[in-house]
């Protein structure tokens, strides 16, 4: 009998709370829409009590993203649960996800409490949440290191109190697959009312075993797996969605289980997240790494050409990785352009299409062949260009060479006004950045700088990904152009605009206290 495994995505909560992966509200909605297209069953949209911004983002996702259940996280206290409900209640299918630690070390050190008191609080929290909605998940934080007999009592009690999903996290990534599978089997065997709830797992990757532990749990009866795109999350991250899904899909006879994931959306989802956060996965990352389907050695290439199955256990097409196709050119009209974007899965407004089409025409003047990857780079900038353009680039000229001092002249527009300045530097990019600093009056420190060719060929688009620090805060930005100096300057301006927008927004919201941590 084939079981259906629910995929609970926590990229926007566990993933987003890890350093370097924070997203603004528009970016979160964009990613949540793509998660819905990917077919995840549950989106954990955030931790509403953590900040005003988290609350707004969860509410917006609940209102705007159709399809999946929308969950919010809350500590096991009434005020948190009420706040969470106020954010998720707008969804067609809302879920309150509440958690409390059950390991002795957490009970003693974090709460200075007792097992009995914690059990009572867990039951009370679940009852309170059930008074608000019919879909309540309870997580026993640090479940794997908890006393198993006690954990079984907690699970039974919260199910009696109305929990519809009970989650068993390996919060610290300590488990080994055989043991974790045994814990899940033990819970299934010992908890008398276990059939009244979905049994879920949430495995961290501190020993690199998050996916292996999750799969062992599935083999032992878990019905929901919590995971993140690209495996992002606290510390070493969470079990990665794409690896779990493709393991289940590639070995159906072994697991006897399927998911509802549209696997052809995996690559696009992974790239969108990388594009938003500015952090790429390593080239050898399973499923979504740049080399995941590249056959380099001659013997392997020869085998794959004769029959792909010699070295391929899954096809690149099955994860949405098509070969770069020649798609459009100079003579393509707006209709063909819009159709192609639709085929690639992008949903853009009329204004966004118009603006993307103008940039596409500019690109056609510089580059003969436009590939899907070029379109993706172009469109992602359009989708992500959500920050109001305080400063925009009007004109850029640089000169450099082995015997000349690199010089740049930049003209920027702010509203009706244009301003011009020139500067020198170590190279043309440095010179242009100095000129931008002089015009805008802000000065950032470049923390990282990368240029990547979007496709192959000498006329390929060069995408600049940068991280800039302004007054102790880091901002990620990307831009693509056939001229790498221009993409570098556009990325820098985008970081400046982002910083200005955030500073303006922050002026309206006084900073909150330190946010509570999830598990
Ligand atoms: Zn976690």
């Amino acid at each position: 009998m084939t079981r259906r495994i629910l995929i609970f995505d926590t990229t926007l909560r566990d993933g987003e709370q890890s350093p370097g992966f924070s997203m603004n509200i528009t970016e979160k909605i964009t990613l949540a829409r793509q998660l819905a297209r990917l077919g995840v069953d549950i989106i954990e949209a955030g931790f509403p009590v953590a900040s005003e911004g988290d609350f707004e983002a969860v509410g917006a996702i609940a209102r705007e993203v159709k399809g999946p259940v929308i969950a919010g996280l809350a500590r096991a206290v009434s005020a948190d649960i009420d706040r969470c409900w106020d954010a998720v209640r707008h969804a067609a299918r809302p879920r309150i996800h509440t958690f409390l630690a059950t390991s002795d070390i957490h009970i003693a050190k974090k709460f200075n409490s007792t097992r009995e008191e914690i059990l009572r609080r867990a039951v009370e929290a679940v009852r309170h949440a059930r008074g608000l909605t019919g879909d309540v998940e309870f997580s026993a934080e640090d479940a794997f290191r908890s006393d198993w007999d006690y954990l079984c009592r907690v699970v039974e009690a919260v199910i009696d109190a109305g929990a519809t999903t009970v989650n068993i996290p390996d919060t610290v990534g300590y488990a080994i697959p055989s043991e974790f599978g045994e814990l899940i089997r033990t819970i299934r065997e010992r908890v008398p009312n276990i059939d009244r709830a979905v049994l879920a797992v949430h495995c961290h990757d501190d020993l690199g075993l998050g996916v292996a532990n999750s799969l062992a749990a599935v083999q032992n009866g878990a019905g929901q797996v919590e995971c993140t795109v690209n495996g992002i999350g606290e510390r070493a991250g969470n079990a990665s969605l794409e690896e779990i899904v493709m393991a289940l899909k590639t070995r159906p006879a072994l697991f006897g289980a399927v998911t509802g994931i549209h696997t052809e959306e995996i690559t696009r989802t992974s790239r969108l997240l990388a594009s938003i956060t500015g952090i790429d996965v390593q080239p050898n990352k399973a499923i979504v790494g740049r080399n995941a389907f590249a056959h380099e050695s001659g013997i392997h290439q020869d085998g794959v050409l004769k029959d792909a199955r010699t070295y391929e256990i899954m096809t690149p097409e099955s994860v949405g990785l098509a070969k770069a196709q020649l798609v459009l050119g100079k003579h393509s009209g707006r209709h063909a352009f819009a159709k192609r974007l639709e085929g690639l899965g992008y949903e853009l407004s009329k204004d966004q299409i118009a603006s993307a089409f103008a940039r596409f025409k500019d690109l056609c003047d510089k580059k003969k062949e436009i590939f899907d990857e070029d379109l993706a780079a172009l469109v992602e900038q359009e989708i992500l260009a959500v920050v109001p353009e305080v400063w925009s680039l009007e004109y850029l000229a640089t000169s450099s060479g082995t015997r000349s001092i690199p010089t740049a002249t930049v003209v920027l527009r702010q509203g009706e006004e244009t301003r011009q300045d020139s500067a020198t530097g170590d190279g043309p990019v440095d010179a242009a950045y100095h000129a931008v600093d002089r015009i805008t009056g802000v000065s950032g420190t470049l923390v990282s700088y990368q240029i990547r060719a979007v496709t192959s060929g000498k006329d390929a688009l060069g995408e600049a990904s940068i991280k800039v620090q302004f007054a102790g805060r880091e901002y990620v930005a990307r831009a693509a152009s056939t001229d790498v100096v221009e993409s570098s300057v556009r990325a820098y301006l985008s970081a400046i605009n982002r910083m200005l927008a955030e500073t303006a927004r922050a002026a309206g919201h006084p900073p909150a206290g330190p946010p509570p941590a999830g598990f």
Side-chain angles (χ1 to χ4, degrees):
M1 196 185 74
T2 305
R3 292 186 303 139
R4 170 80 149 71
I5 304 299
L6 300 173
I7 296 294
F8 177 112
D9 180 276
T10 184
T11 307
L12 290 165
R13 200 279 296 167
D14 208 319
E16 204 264 347
Q17 79 186 35
S18 57
F21 287 95
S22 63
M23 301 171 219
N24 67 31
I25 186 165
T26 319
E27 292 166 339
K28 286 181 185 176
I29 295 170
T30 303
L31 187 67
R33 287 220 173 93
Q34 177 57 31
L35 290 171
R37 218 173 281 139
L38 177 65
V40 307
D41 298 285
I42 302 109
I43 293 176
E44 184 161 60
F47 195 176
V49 83
S51 71
E52 194 61 36
D54 253 47
F55 179 81
E56 275 174 35
V58 174
I61 290 169
R63 272 187 294 267
E64 292 177 33
V65 178
K66 307 289 175 225
V69 169
I70 306 296
L73 186 67
R75 288 173 300 190
V77 287
S78 299
D80 272 36
I81 292 169
D82 292 341
R83 184 81 173 145
C84 175
W85 175 241
D86 278 344
V88 296
R89 64 191 301 169
H90 309 287
R93 292 191 295 152
R95 171 178 296 186
I96 295 174
H97 179 192
T98 187
F99 73 101
L100 191 59
T102 51
S103 66
D104 287 334
I105 180 146
H106 280 237
I107 293 173
K109 302 292 170 190
K110 223 168 73 175
F111 299 122
N112 189 22
S113 187
T114 62
R115 287 186 183 180
E116 292 314 308
E117 173 60 16
I118 292 295
L119 179 65
R120 192 189 62 74
R121 279 168 59 180
V123 165
E124 202 173 283
V126 168
R127 273 210 195 104
H128 184 74
R130 265 309 291 262
L132 300 167
T133 177
D135 188 342
V136 173
E137 173 166 341
F138 175 80
S139 282
E141 183 183 4
D142 205 17
F144 182 72
R145 291 194 303 168
S146 303
D147 176 79
W148 288 13
D149 287 333
Y150 172 64
L151 179 64
C152 286
R153 279 178 56 213
V154 173
V155 171
E156 184 181 352
V158 295
I159 293 173
D160 267 341
T164 44
T165 301
V166 179
N167 181 31
I168 307 299
D170 179 16
T171 301
V172 292
Y174 181 71
I176 301 298
S178 55
E179 286 178 294
F180 196 67
E182 195 191 327
L183 171 58
I184 298 305
R185 196 175 59 245
T186 303
I187 292 171
R188 288 208 64 83
E189 285 170 2
R190 283 206 215 149
V191 176
N193 57 4
I194 195 69
D195 290 333
R196 280 162 46 197
V198 173
L199 187 54
V201 293
H202 177 115
C203 297
H204 276 270
D205 210 29
D206 296 68
L207 293 172
L209 295 170
V211 169
N213 287 334
S214 305
L215 293 173
V218 167
Q219 288 184 301
N220 284 281
Q224 174 180 303
V225 175
E226 309 200 355
C227 46
T228 60
V229 177
N230 296 347
I232 70 170
E234 283 279 12
R235 303 181 311 278
N238 284 71
S240 104
L241 180 149
E242 55 278 6
E243 293 176 25
I244 289 168
V245 167
M246 290 313 287
L248 294 176
K249 183 170 174 156
T250 306
R251 304 298 304 275
L254 183 72
F255 290 104
V258 293
T259 71
I261 296 295
H262 308 299
T263 60
E264 326 75 57
E265 293 290 333
I266 283 177
T267 300
R268 183 176 307 130
T269 312
S270 166
R271 289 189 180 165
L272 179 64
L273 177 65
S275 185
I276 288 172
T277 59
I279 301 175
D280 282 319
V281 297
Q282 82 264 21
N284 59 316
K285 166 82 171 65
I287 319 294
V288 292
R290 201 172 60 237
N291 294 351
F293 291 91
H295 303 281
E296 202 59 45
S297 107
I299 293 172
H300 289 203
Q301 282 180 351
D302 183 54
V304 169
L305 287 174
K306 285 175 177 146
D307 187 332
R309 287 170 303 178
T310 47
Y311 288 97
E312 253 175 32
I313 59 166
M314 51 199 159
T315 64
E317 291 77 15
S318 68
V319 298
L321 191 69
K323 290 193 180 66
Q325 285 170 356
L326 191 59
V327 283
L328 296 168
K330 218 175 180 137
H331 304 291
S332 309
R334 182 187 299 221
H335 183 68
F337 176 75
K339 264 244 123 32
R340 187 65 208 154
L341 292 186
E342 215 184 282
L344 287 170
Y346 294 108
E347 282 171 37
L348 299 187
S349 69
K350 272 210 164 74
D351 285 353
Q352 284 175 318
I353 290 177
S355 160
F357 186 67
R359 299 183 62 153
F360 164 72
K361 280 292 176 189
D362 282 349
L363 185 60
C364 290
D365 290 337
K366 296 174 184 161
K367 193 172 185 297
K368 265 192 300 209
E369 305 168 318
I370 311 286
F371 298 96
D372 283 354
E373 284 86 346
D374 296 318
L375 290 181
L378 210 135
V379 167
E380 269 155 26
Q381 283 178 57
E382 213 46 65
I383 295 172
L384 300 175
V386 290
V387 177
E389 273 206 308
V390 181
W391 294 100
S392 60
L393 183 66
E394 283 280 305
Y395 172 88
L396 168 70
T398 56
S399 73
S400 65
T402 49
R403 283 174 184 277
S404 65
I405 296 170
T407 310
T409 300
V410 174
V411 181
L412 300 183
R413 172 177 291 281
Q414 182 180 37
E416 295 299 300
E417 200 192 329
T418 57
R419 284 197 229 168
Q420 173 183 338
D421 214 324
S422 302
T424 58
D426 295 337
V429 173
D430 188 46
Y433 280 17
H434 284 156
V436 170
D437 284 349
R438 288 168 64 134
I439 297 172
T440 59
V442 294
S443 158
T445 311
L446 202 56
V447 180
S448 73
Y449 174 86
Q450 277 178 51
I451 295 276
R452 159 185 97 88
V454 174
T455 53
S456 56
K458 281 184 189 157
D459 63 353
L461 275 181
E463 186 181 63
S465 316
I466 63 167
K467 204 179 265 181
V468 191
Q469 203 176 60
F470 299 102
R473 284 213 55 178
E474 284 183 1
Y475 296 84
V476 167
R478 289 185 179 210
S481 163
T482 48
D483 174 345
V484 295
V485 180
E486 185 189 323
S487 50
S488 304
V489 172
R490 286 191 186 279
Y492 189 55
L493 278 176
S494 160
I496 290 177
N497 286 333
R498 219 162 241 249
M499 182 271 290
L500 293 173
E502 249 192 57
T503 312
R505 243 170 63 103
H509 291 301
F519 59 87

